[in-house]
């Protein structure tokens, strides 16, 4: 696959690009730094992510307003994930997605860190191996 120069989520969506990259045997490890993460996004990429030998996620926060732009510590990453889950429908599909994500995050080859020293500007920074 040829990587697009810009992933704009219009002509080229991040989910489609990642799905194409993870589909083959060329990518064995993936490092991601992002300011947004949700269960539904994980579910879209789950099969490819579960096949990786290594996955590292640096998770920051999106700013809630101008006051959040690097001026406060602890911008509420867990709060944002919790809010997304609370707004999700309480159904079998959501339960299945949450259970799959929980199993994935508990794997030894998966490492997650929270960036709480200000706003993490990366929308999605990817490093493949």
């Amino acid at each position: 696959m040829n990587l697009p120069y810009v992933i704009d989520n219009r002509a080229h969506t991040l989910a489609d690009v990642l799905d194409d990259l993870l589909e083959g045997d060329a990518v064995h490890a993936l490092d991601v730094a992002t300011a947004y993460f949700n269960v539904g996004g994980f579910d879209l990429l789950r099969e490819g992510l579960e096949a990786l030998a290594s996955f590292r996620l640096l998770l920051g926060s999106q700013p809630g307003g101008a006051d959040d732009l690097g001026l406060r510590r602890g911008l509420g990453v867990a709060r944002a994930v919790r809010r997304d889950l609370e707004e999700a429908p309480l159904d079998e599909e959501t339960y299945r997605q949450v259970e799959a994500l929980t199993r994935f995050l508990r794997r030894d080859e998966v490492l997650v860190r929270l960036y709480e020293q200000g706003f993490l500007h990366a929308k999605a920074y990817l490093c493949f191996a």
Side-chain angles (χ1 to χ4, degrees), residues 75-90:
L75 297 177
V77 175
R79 188 174 57 235
V81 172
R82 178 179 288 186
R83 183 198 64 232
D84 286 348
L85 286 174
E86 288 172 349
E87 293 174 357
L90 186 58

Side-chain angles (χ1 to χ4, degrees), residues 101-119:
L101 176 58
T102 301
R103 280 191 307 275
F104 177 74
L105 294 175
R106 289 184 173 157
R107 293 170 48 179
D108 289 338
E109 58 273 12
V110 174
L111 180 63
V112 179
R113 293 287 184 258
L114 298 179
Y115 181 81
E116 297 183 304
Q117 299 170 358
F119 172 53

Side-chain angles (χ1 to χ4, degrees), residues 39-52:
V39 176
F42 166 77
D43 195 57
L44 290 173
L45 302 170
R46 187 175 95 193
E47 187 176 317
L49 291 173
E50 288 177 341
L52 292 171

